[in-house]
Amino acid sequence: MNTEQKHIPVLLDAVINALGDINGKTIIDCTFGAGGYSRAFLERGAHVIAFDRDPNVVSDAKNLNDKYGDRFTFIPKTFSHVADIDMTVDAIVFDLGISSMQIDVPERGFSFRADAPLDMRMSQDGITASEFIAQKSVPELANVLRMYGDVKKANILARAIKENAPKTTFELRDLIHNPKDVAPVFQALRIAVNDEMGELEQALDAVPELLKPGGKCICVTFHSIEDRIVKNTFRTWTSAPGDPRIPTIERAPFDIIKTALPTDEELKNNSRARSAHMRGAIKRTENEMESV
Ligand SMILES: C[S@@+](CC[C@H](N)C(=O)[O-])C[C@H]1O[C@@H](n2cnc3c(N)ncnc32)[C@H](O)[C@@H]1O
């Protein structure tokens, strides 16, 4: 499948702006997707190492390889494997969540708008959403619905889901009586099945070591918990633990750089940008660390 036309990159201008001049720099794109970000980085002269867990994106990655040769490397793994990279880089970028290709292909089971097996696996391995439901207890399911979907009456719904053990997207959809809960329930299950928050926390843990001084970490999030993880992680990087008498900001290894939300123009052209939020942090150079 040629995915090139289908996914409109979100907040790409803001990300490019935050990265500045990337000619000759090395960037890790943790979420290749349709390659919108990677392509933009390559066009501006960067070397790119890209991750994606979805086997469907491999052919798009191959196209970039053909065009850019060894300036582009694709790693078909979850981005928590970023910790295995044994070099330092100039930037690490995350554009989280799912792609249009994933949500728009009914057989992937992410969408409640088409009937399909209740799958939801980005990697297409591991347990499906219906197997996840079978393995979890009612309180565990309720917790997932509450935490990642902010679903009210999560216990009642979790019990109904557990008892009916839906195997298809429509079977699950039909168990949800409040239409406002349908999208949040699907989102919550998707986040849990793919361990999206665990992946993000693990990858962010590896970032400070991987960045060169002056290197940047840019994250585009689509969910309040995702955004909170990024915000809190950046907060730990920008405040140094230790002697409480020294203003923490003065010994912090990172500074916060621009945050960005989609413009009205972007929202008009791309409904998927709706809940997007960009945050960035920059690792201080040795000079900056010494001068404070
Ligand atoms: C929003 S899309 C990225 C779109 C991309 N920036 C573009 O412009 O085309 C998110 C992509 O990240 C991938 N992804 C999500 N979580 C991942 C993880 N933990 N490891 C690797 N890839 C992941 C998904 O499979 C999806 O293809």
Side-chain angles (χ1 to χ4, degrees), residues 9 31-37 52-53 78-79 95-97 102 122 199:
T31 49
F32 178 76
Y37 280 22
D52 205 297
R53 68 194 302 178
T78 55
F79 57 56
D95 175 21
L96 296 159
Q102 289 165 332
M122 290 186 192
E199 272 287 314

Side-chain angles (χ1 to χ4, degrees), residues 2-138:
N2 181 5
T3 50
E4 207 157 313
Q5 303 302 320
K6 294 184 99 182
H7 183 92
I8 308 172
V10 173
L11 283 172
L12 178 60
D13 289 347
V15 169
I16 293 289
N17 212 348
L19 288 172
D21 181 7
I22 55 175
N23 189 17
K25 303 248 171 100
T26 302
I27 302 181
I28 303 179
D29 177 358
C30 285
T31 49
F32 178 76
Y37 280 22
S38 281
R39 200 172 298 112
F41 303 156
L42 289 159
E43 280 164 2
R44 287 163 178 76
H47 296 249
V48 176
I49 301 167
F51 283 85
D52 205 297
R53 68 194 302 178
D54 189 336
N56 284 356
V57 309
V58 170
S59 60
D60 280 348
K62 171 104 186 30
N63 289 341
L64 284 193
N65 256 138
D66 292 345
K67 184 158 181 196
Y68 292 99
D70 61 10
R71 265 210 296 130
F72 179 70
T73 306
F74 180 71
I75 303 178
K77 291 184 179 171
T78 55
F79 57 56
S80 53
H81 287 87
V82 74
D84 302 336
I85 290 191
D86 58 1
M87 61 188 280
T88 54
V89 299
D90 298 288
I92 303 180
V93 178
F94 298 83
D95 175 21
L96 296 159
I98 53 174
S99 66
S100 304
M101 297 81 70
Q102 289 165 332
I103 194 95
D104 291 344
V105 174
E107 307 86 71
R108 304 291 305 263
F110 289 108
S111 171
F112 52 85
R113 296 184 201 284
D115 201 11
L118 193 56
D119 188 316
M120 296 193 177
R121 296 168 303 166
M122 290 186 192
S123 303
Q124 297 186 6
D125 65 8
I127 60 164
T128 64
S130 63
E131 289 164 344
F132 180 86
I133 289 168
Q135 286 183 10
K136 297 293 165 190
S137 64
V138 170

Side-chain angles (χ1 to χ4, degrees), residues 133-150:
I133 289 168
Q135 286 183 10
K136 297 293 165 190
S137 64
V138 170
E140 284 169 333
L141 277 179
N143 199 31
V144 164
L145 300 182
R146 212 176 288 117
M147 202 163 48
Y148 300 140
D150 203 15

